[in-house]
Amino acid sequence: MLTKDQVVEKVKKLLRLGENAGATEAERDRAMAQAHKFLAKYNLDIAAVNGDTDTDRTDEIAEFVNNPAARSIAQSVSKLYFVKYLFFRGTNKHLFIGTTVNVIAAIDITKWLLKNIDKEARRTLRNDPIAWQTTPESKYVTSFRHGAADAIFVKVSEIIAETRNQKSDAVPGTSLVLADVYEQEKAKNEQYSVEKYGQSRSSKTRVRRNIDYNAYSSGVEHGRSVNLQKQVR
């Protein structure tokens, strides 16, 4: 079985392929899908081989924009990659809790997604002559982000809901499925979080104002197209 360093490097390599200057949107999506497929299988196999004995729990602070859409995307990605996510109010600091491999992957993929969503938002705006003339870029990009974030949230929920029949082939005959791993990691992350940081406070959902719904719809379409991969094998 691969070492943690090898797993991290594999995920980073997949994302670098998607970030290549000549990469198409389809190639970026494929890189994301392969990263999730690879990491989901790794987590499932580790749990099947080691049982419920993994103590590799860590936390890491990452710095990037701290707006509602970015937080929503970070939350969705963290959930998909077996990580607990929190943010620090009034700062650009975000906290990720989980195993070393999962935390590194969640941070890298969150930043990767945020960068590509903004890139696609600006590309879409430039290709829309009416919006280009009538909508401020900041408003268009913000609205696009919200649409993409909402679509990714729905997609992640659907993916996790479909993990009941995804079993590990590392240990033939095991009854463990990927859904079990999600629950185990969630409980461990929550315990680590409470022990180190205490109970976190929930954030109030703010009413969105001044949204451009054309940009929001384009963002939803883009978010739906992001290939996060449903199958482990």
mmCIF file with all atom_site columns, all heavy atoms in Angstrom, residues 211-229:
data_model
loop_
_atom_site.group_PDB
_atom_site.id
_atom_site.type_symbol
_atom_site.label_atom_id
_atom_site.label_alt_id
_atom_site.label_comp_id
_atom_site.label_asym_id
_atom_site.label_entity_id
_atom_site.label_seq_id
_atom_site.pdbx_PDB_ins_code
_atom_site.Cartn_x
_atom_site.Cartn_y
_atom_site.Cartn_z
_atom_site.occupancy
_atom_site.B_iso_or_equiv
_atom_site.pdbx_formal_charge
_atom_site.auth_seq_id
_atom_site.auth_comp_id
_atom_site.auth_asym_id
_atom_site.auth_atom_id
_atom_site.pdbx_PDB_model_num
ATOM 1   N N   . ILE A 1 211 ? -27.745 39.993 -6.186  1.00 0.00 ? 211 ILE A N   1
ATOM 2   C CA  . ILE A 1 211 ? -27.266 38.882 -6.984  1.00 0.00 ? 211 ILE A CA  1
ATOM 3   C C   . ILE A 1 211 ? -27.705 39.060 -8.434  1.00 0.00 ? 211 ILE A C   1
ATOM 4   O O   . ILE A 1 211 ? -28.851 39.418 -8.712  1.00 0.00 ? 211 ILE A O   1
ATOM 5   C CB  . ILE A 1 211 ? -27.823 37.541 -6.447  1.00 0.00 ? 211 ILE A CB  1
ATOM 6   C CG1 . ILE A 1 211 ? -27.147 37.181 -5.123  1.00 0.00 ? 211 ILE A CG1 1
ATOM 7   C CG2 . ILE A 1 211 ? -27.623 36.405 -7.448  1.00 0.00 ? 211 ILE A CG2 1
ATOM 8   C CD1 . ILE A 1 211 ? -25.695 36.778 -5.242  1.00 0.00 ? 211 ILE A CD1 1
ATOM 9   N N   . ASP A 1 212 ? -26.796 38.841 -9.352  1.00 0.00 ? 212 ASP A N   1
ATOM 10  C CA  . ASP A 1 212 ? -27.141 38.819 -10.770 1.00 0.00 ? 212 ASP A CA  1
ATOM 11  C C   . ASP A 1 212 ? -27.527 37.385 -11.123 1.00 0.00 ? 212 ASP A C   1
ATOM 12  O O   . ASP A 1 212 ? -26.674 36.485 -11.087 1.00 0.00 ? 212 ASP A O   1
ATOM 13  C CB  . ASP A 1 212 ? -25.941 39.267 -11.615 1.00 0.00 ? 212 ASP A CB  1
ATOM 14  C CG  . ASP A 1 212 ? -26.257 39.287 -13.093 1.00 0.00 ? 212 ASP A CG  1
ATOM 15  O OD1 . ASP A 1 212 ? -26.162 38.212 -13.732 1.00 0.00 ? 212 ASP A OD1 1
ATOM 16  O OD2 . ASP A 1 212 ? -26.606 40.366 -13.603 1.00 0.00 ? 212 ASP A OD2 1
ATOM 17  N N   . TYR A 1 213 ? -28.788 37.157 -11.438 1.00 0.00 ? 213 TYR A N   1
ATOM 18  C CA  . TYR A 1 213 ? -29.269 35.786 -11.583 1.00 0.00 ? 213 TYR A CA  1
ATOM 19  C C   . TYR A 1 213 ? -28.813 35.132 -12.888 1.00 0.00 ? 213 TYR A C   1
ATOM 20  O O   . TYR A 1 213 ? -28.775 33.910 -12.984 1.00 0.00 ? 213 TYR A O   1
ATOM 21  C CB  . TYR A 1 213 ? -30.788 35.751 -11.423 1.00 0.00 ? 213 TYR A CB  1
ATOM 22  C CG  . TYR A 1 213 ? -31.163 35.936 -9.974  1.00 0.00 ? 213 TYR A CG  1
ATOM 23  C CD1 . TYR A 1 213 ? -31.542 37.188 -9.493  1.00 0.00 ? 213 TYR A CD1 1
ATOM 24  C CD2 . TYR A 1 213 ? -31.061 34.881 -9.071  1.00 0.00 ? 213 TYR A CD2 1
ATOM 25  C CE1 . TYR A 1 213 ? -31.835 37.361 -8.152  1.00 0.00 ? 213 TYR A CE1 1
ATOM 26  C CE2 . TYR A 1 213 ? -31.354 35.050 -7.724  1.00 0.00 ? 213 TYR A CE2 1
ATOM 27  C CZ  . TYR A 1 213 ? -31.743 36.292 -7.280  1.00 0.00 ? 213 TYR A CZ  1
ATOM 28  O OH  . TYR A 1 213 ? -32.015 36.467 -5.944  1.00 0.00 ? 213 TYR A OH  1
ATOM 29  N N   . ASN A 1 214 ? -28.451 35.922 -13.880 1.00 0.00 ? 214 ASN A N   1
ATOM 30  C CA  . ASN A 1 214 ? -27.862 35.345 -15.082 1.00 0.00 ? 214 ASN A CA  1
ATOM 31  C C   . ASN A 1 214 ? -26.498 34.742 -14.744 1.00 0.00 ? 214 ASN A C   1
ATOM 32  O O   . ASN A 1 214 ? -26.178 33.615 -15.137 1.00 0.00 ? 214 ASN A O   1
ATOM 33  C CB  . ASN A 1 214 ? -27.709 36.422 -16.162 1.00 0.00 ? 214 ASN A CB  1
ATOM 34  C CG  . ASN A 1 214 ? -27.072 35.890 -17.430 1.00 0.00 ? 214 ASN A CG  1
ATOM 35  O OD1 . ASN A 1 214 ? -27.502 34.885 -17.990 1.00 0.00 ? 214 ASN A OD1 1
ATOM 36  N ND2 . ASN A 1 214 ? -26.032 36.575 -17.883 1.00 0.00 ? 214 ASN A ND2 1
ATOM 37  N N   . ALA A 1 215 ? -25.704 35.485 -13.983 1.00 0.00 ? 215 ALA A N   1
ATOM 38  C CA  . ALA A 1 215 ? -24.388 34.994 -13.560 1.00 0.00 ? 215 ALA A CA  1
ATOM 39  C C   . ALA A 1 215 ? -24.539 33.816 -12.609 1.00 0.00 ? 215 ALA A C   1
ATOM 40  O O   . ALA A 1 215 ? -23.791 32.834 -12.684 1.00 0.00 ? 215 ALA A O   1
ATOM 41  C CB  . ALA A 1 215 ? -23.599 36.117 -12.892 1.00 0.00 ? 215 ALA A CB  1
ATOM 42  N N   . TYR A 1 216 ? -25.520 33.917 -11.695 1.00 0.00 ? 216 TYR A N   1
ATOM 43  C CA  . TYR A 1 216 ? -25.765 32.817 -10.752 1.00 0.00 ? 216 TYR A CA  1
ATOM 44  C C   . TYR A 1 216 ? -26.102 31.530 -11.507 1.00 0.00 ? 216 TYR A C   1
ATOM 45  O O   . TYR A 1 216 ? -25.567 30.459 -11.196 1.00 0.00 ? 216 TYR A O   1
ATOM 46  C CB  . TYR A 1 216 ? -26.909 33.191 -9.813  1.00 0.00 ? 216 TYR A CB  1
ATOM 47  C CG  . TYR A 1 216 ? -27.285 32.096 -8.838  1.00 0.00 ? 216 TYR A CG  1
ATOM 48  C CD1 . TYR A 1 216 ? -26.638 31.982 -7.607  1.00 0.00 ? 216 TYR A CD1 1
ATOM 49  C CD2 . TYR A 1 216 ? -28.283 31.164 -9.149  1.00 0.00 ? 216 TYR A CD2 1
ATOM 50  C CE1 . TYR A 1 216 ? -26.979 30.980 -6.707  1.00 0.00 ? 216 TYR A CE1 1
ATOM 51  C CE2 . TYR A 1 216 ? -28.622 30.160 -8.265  1.00 0.00 ? 216 TYR A CE2 1
ATOM 52  C CZ  . TYR A 1 216 ? -27.976 30.068 -7.048  1.00 0.00 ? 216 TYR A CZ  1
ATOM 53  O OH  . TYR A 1 216 ? -28.306 29.059 -6.180  1.00 0.00 ? 216 TYR A OH  1
ATOM 54  N N   . SER A 1 217 ? -26.969 31.620 -12.512 1.00 0.00 ? 217 SER A N   1
ATOM 55  C CA  . SER A 1 217 ? -27.359 30.448 -13.296 1.00 0.00 ? 217 SER A CA  1
ATOM 56  C C   . SER A 1 217 ? -26.163 29.850 -14.038 1.00 0.00 ? 217 SER A C   1
ATOM 57  O O   . SER A 1 217 ? -26.020 28.629 -14.121 1.00 0.00 ? 217 SER A O   1
ATOM 58  C CB  . SER A 1 217 ? -28.455 30.824 -14.304 1.00 0.00 ? 217 SER A CB  1
ATOM 59  O OG  . SER A 1 217 ? -29.621 31.241 -13.635 1.00 0.00 ? 217 SER A OG  1
ATOM 60  N N   . SER A 1 218 ? -25.310 30.715 -14.570 1.00 0.00 ? 218 SER A N   1
ATOM 61  C CA  . SER A 1 218 ? -24.099 30.230 -15.237 1.00 0.00 ? 218 SER A CA  1
ATOM 62  C C   . SER A 1 218 ? -23.196 29.520 -14.239 1.00 0.00 ? 218 SER A C   1
ATOM 63  O O   . SER A 1 218 ? -22.559 28.510 -14.558 1.00 0.00 ? 218 SER A O   1
ATOM 64  C CB  . SER A 1 218 ? -23.352 31.398 -15.891 1.00 0.00 ? 218 SER A CB  1
ATOM 65  O OG  . SER A 1 218 ? -24.112 31.964 -16.930 1.00 0.00 ? 218 SER A OG  1
ATOM 66  N N   . GLY A 1 219 ? -23.139 30.055 -13.017 1.00 0.00 ? 219 GLY A N   1
ATOM 67  C CA  . GLY A 1 219 ? -22.342 29.416 -11.973 1.00 0.00 ? 219 GLY A CA  1
ATOM 68  C C   . GLY A 1 219 ? -22.894 28.056 -11.599 1.00 0.00 ? 219 GLY A C   1
ATOM 69  O O   . GLY A 1 219 ? -22.136 27.100 -11.394 1.00 0.00 ? 219 GLY A O   1
ATOM 70  N N   . VAL A 1 220 ? -24.218 27.955 -11.501 1.00 0.00 ? 220 VAL A N   1
ATOM 71  C CA  . VAL A 1 220 ? -24.848 26.664 -11.209 1.00 0.00 ? 220 VAL A CA  1
ATOM 72  C C   . VAL A 1 220 ? -24.497 25.663 -12.302 1.00 0.00 ? 220 VAL A C   1
ATOM 73  O O   . VAL A 1 220 ? -24.143 24.504 -12.023 1.00 0.00 ? 220 VAL A O   1
ATOM 74  C CB  . VAL A 1 220 ? -26.380 26.817 -11.101 1.00 0.00 ? 220 VAL A CB  1
ATOM 75  C CG1 . VAL A 1 220 ? -27.054 25.443 -11.083 1.00 0.00 ? 220 VAL A CG1 1
ATOM 76  C CG2 . VAL A 1 220 ? -26.742 27.593 -9.845  1.00 0.00 ? 220 VAL A CG2 1
ATOM 77  N N   . GLU A 1 221 ? -24.583 26.083 -13.533 1.00 0.00 ? 221 GLU A N   1
ATOM 78  C CA  . GLU A 1 221 ? -24.264 25.192 -14.657 1.00 0.00 ? 221 GLU A CA  1
ATOM 79  C C   . GLU A 1 221 ? -22.813 24.717 -14.582 1.00 0.00 ? 221 GLU A C   1
ATOM 80  O O   . GLU A 1 221 ? -22.517 23.537 -14.793 1.00 0.00 ? 221 GLU A O   1
ATOM 81  C CB  . GLU A 1 221 ? -24.509 25.924 -15.972 1.00 0.00 ? 221 GLU A CB  1
ATOM 82  C CG  . GLU A 1 221 ? -24.285 25.072 -17.205 1.00 0.00 ? 221 GLU A CG  1
ATOM 83  C CD  . GLU A 1 221 ? -24.588 25.807 -18.496 1.00 0.00 ? 221 GLU A CD  1
ATOM 84  O OE1 . GLU A 1 221 ? -25.097 26.944 -18.430 1.00 0.00 ? 221 GLU A OE1 1
ATOM 85  O OE2 . GLU A 1 221 ? -24.308 25.251 -19.577 1.00 0.00 ? 221 GLU A OE2 1
ATOM 86  N N   . HIS A 1 222 ? -21.924 25.637 -14.257 1.00 0.00 ? 222 HIS A N   1
ATOM 87  C CA  . HIS A 1 222 ? -20.511 25.259 -14.133 1.00 0.00 ? 222 HIS A CA  1
ATOM 88  C C   . HIS A 1 222 ? -20.309 24.308 -12.959 1.00 0.00 ? 222 HIS A C   1
ATOM 89  O O   . HIS A 1 222 ? -19.593 23.301 -13.078 1.00 0.00 ? 222 HIS A O   1
ATOM 90  C CB  . HIS A 1 222 ? -19.652 26.502 -13.938 1.00 0.00 ? 222 HIS A CB  1
ATOM 91  C CG  . HIS A 1 222 ? -18.205 26.191 -13.708 1.00 0.00 ? 222 HIS A CG  1
ATOM 92  N ND1 . HIS A 1 222 ? -17.389 25.647 -14.679 1.00 0.00 ? 222 HIS A ND1 1
ATOM 93  C CD2 . HIS A 1 222 ? -17.426 26.316 -12.597 1.00 0.00 ? 222 HIS A CD2 1
ATOM 94  C CE1 . HIS A 1 222 ? -16.178 25.460 -14.190 1.00 0.00 ? 222 HIS A CE1 1
ATOM 95  N NE2 . HIS A 1 222 ? -16.177 25.856 -12.933 1.00 0.00 ? 222 HIS A NE2 1
ATOM 96  N N   . GLY A 1 223 ? -20.925 24.605 -11.824 1.00 0.00 ? 223 GLY A N   1
ATOM 97  C CA  . GLY A 1 223 ? -20.792 23.747 -10.649 1.00 0.00 ? 223 GLY A CA  1
ATOM 98  C C   . GLY A 1 223 ? -21.294 22.343 -10.911 1.00 0.00 ? 223 GLY A C   1
ATOM 99  O O   . GLY A 1 223 ? -20.697 21.360 -10.450 1.00 0.00 ? 223 GLY A O   1
ATOM 100 N N   . ARG A 1 224 ? -22.387 22.227 -11.647 1.00 0.00 ? 224 ARG A N   1
ATOM 101 C CA  . ARG A 1 224 ? -22.919 20.909 -11.985 1.00 0.00 ? 224 ARG A CA  1
ATOM 102 C C   . ARG A 1 224 ? -21.980 20.132 -12.898 1.00 0.00 ? 224 ARG A C   1
ATOM 103 O O   . ARG A 1 224 ? -21.961 18.897 -12.876 1.00 0.00 ? 224 ARG A O   1
ATOM 104 C CB  . ARG A 1 224 ? -24.275 21.063 -12.676 1.00 0.00 ? 224 ARG A CB  1
ATOM 105 C CG  . ARG A 1 224 ? -25.409 21.470 -11.742 1.00 0.00 ? 224 ARG A CG  1
ATOM 106 C CD  . ARG A 1 224 ? -26.677 21.757 -12.522 1.00 0.00 ? 224 ARG A CD  1
ATOM 107 N NE  . ARG A 1 224 ? -27.789 22.086 -11.650 1.00 0.00 ? 224 ARG A NE  1
ATOM 108 C CZ  . ARG A 1 224 ? -28.925 22.632 -12.067 1.00 0.00 ? 224 ARG A CZ  1
ATOM 109 N NH1 . ARG A 1 224 ? -29.091 22.913 -13.353 1.00 0.00 ? 224 ARG A NH1 1
ATOM 110 N NH2 . ARG A 1 224 ? -29.891 22.896 -11.208 1.00 0.00 ? 224 ARG A NH2 1
ATOM 111 N N   . SER A 1 225 ? -21.203 20.858 -13.695 1.00 0.00 ? 225 SER A N   1
ATOM 112 C CA  . SER A 1 225 ? -20.319 20.189 -14.651 1.00 0.00 ? 225 SER A CA  1
ATOM 113 C C   . SER A 1 225 ? -19.030 19.692 -14.017 1.00 0.00 ? 225 SER A C   1
ATOM 114 O O   . SER A 1 225 ? -18.306 18.887 -14.618 1.00 0.00 ? 225 SER A O   1
ATOM 115 C CB  . SER A 1 225 ? -19.970 21.142 -15.806 1.00 0.00 ? 225 SER A CB  1
ATOM 116 O OG  . SER A 1 225 ? -19.053 22.142 -15.381 1.00 0.00 ? 225 SER A OG  1
ATOM 117 N N   . VAL A 1 226 ? -18.705 20.183 -12.813 1.00 0.00 ? 226 VAL A N   1
ATOM 118 C CA  . VAL A 1 226 ? -17.477 19.751 -12.150 1.00 0.00 ? 226 VAL A CA  1
ATOM 119 C C   . VAL A 1 226 ? -17.576 18.266 -11.833 1.00 0.00 ? 226 VAL A C   1
ATOM 120 O O   . VAL A 1 226 ? -18.483 17.823 -11.127 1.00 0.00 ? 226 VAL A O   1
ATOM 121 C CB  . VAL A 1 226 ? -17.233 20.554 -10.850 1.00 0.00 ? 226 VAL A CB  1
ATOM 122 C CG1 . VAL A 1 226 ? -16.048 19.982 -10.092 1.00 0.00 ? 226 VAL A CG1 1
ATOM 123 C CG2 . VAL A 1 226 ? -16.998 22.012 -11.181 1.00 0.00 ? 226 VAL A CG2 1
ATOM 124 N N   . ASN A 1 227 ? -16.661 17.496 -12.350 1.00 0.00 ? 227 ASN A N   1
ATOM 125 C CA  . ASN A 1 227 ? -16.710 16.035 -12.221 1.00 0.00 ? 227 ASN A CA  1
ATOM 126 C C   . ASN A 1 227 ? -16.009 15.590 -10.951 1.00 0.00 ? 227 ASN A C   1
ATOM 127 O O   . ASN A 1 227 ? -14.786 15.497 -10.918 1.00 0.00 ? 227 ASN A O   1
ATOM 128 C CB  . ASN A 1 227 ? -16.063 15.401 -13.449 1.00 0.00 ? 227 ASN A CB  1
ATOM 129 C CG  . ASN A 1 227 ? -16.255 13.894 -13.489 1.00 0.00 ? 227 ASN A CG  1
ATOM 130 O OD1 . ASN A 1 227 ? -16.806 13.310 -12.560 1.00 0.00 ? 227 ASN A OD1 1
ATOM 131 N ND2 . ASN A 1 227 ? -15.806 13.271 -14.553 1.00 0.00 ? 227 ASN A ND2 1
ATOM 132 N N   . LEU A 1 228 ? -16.783 15.351 -9.906  1.00 0.00 ? 228 LEU A N   1
ATOM 133 C CA  . LEU A 1 228 ? -16.207 14.971 -8.619  1.00 0.00 ? 228 LEU A CA  1
ATOM 134 C C   . LEU A 1 228 ? -16.102 13.451 -8.441  1.00 0.00 ? 228 LEU A C   1
ATOM 135 O O   . LEU A 1 228 ? -15.614 12.981 -7.430  1.00 0.00 ? 228 LEU A O   1
ATOM 136 C CB  . LEU A 1 228 ? -17.039 15.562 -7.480  1.00 0.00 ? 228 LEU A CB  1
ATOM 137 C CG  . LEU A 1 228 ? -17.036 17.076 -7.427  1.00 0.00 ? 228 LEU A CG  1
ATOM 138 C CD1 . LEU A 1 228 ? -18.021 17.580 -6.384  1.00 0.00 ? 228 LEU A CD1 1
ATOM 139 C CD2 . LEU A 1 228 ? -15.645 17.613 -7.111  1.00 0.00 ? 228 LEU A CD2 1
ATOM 140 N N   . GLN A 1 229 ? -16.615 12.716 -9.389  1.00 0.00 ? 229 GLN A N   1
ATOM 141 C CA  . GLN A 1 229 ? -16.497 11.241 -9.445  1.00 0.00 ? 229 GLN A CA  1
ATOM 142 C C   . GLN A 1 229 ? -17.320 10.532 -8.389  1.00 0.00 ? 229 GLN A C   1
ATOM 143 O O   . GLN A 1 229 ? -17.218 10.837 -7.211  1.00 0.00 ? 229 GLN A O   1
ATOM 144 C CB  . GLN A 1 229 ? -15.029 10.801 -9.330  1.00 0.00 ? 229 GLN A CB  1
ATOM 145 C CG  . GLN A 1 229 ? -14.786 9.321  -9.565  1.00 0.00 ? 229 GLN A CG  1
ATOM 146 C CD  . GLN A 1 229 ? -15.245 8.851  -10.928 1.00 0.00 ? 229 GLN A CD  1
ATOM 147 O OE1 . GLN A 1 229 ? -16.412 8.565  -11.107 1.00 0.00 ? 229 GLN A OE1 1
ATOM 148 N NE2 . GLN A 1 229 ? -14.349 8.785  -11.893 1.00 0.00 ? 229 GLN A NE2 1
#
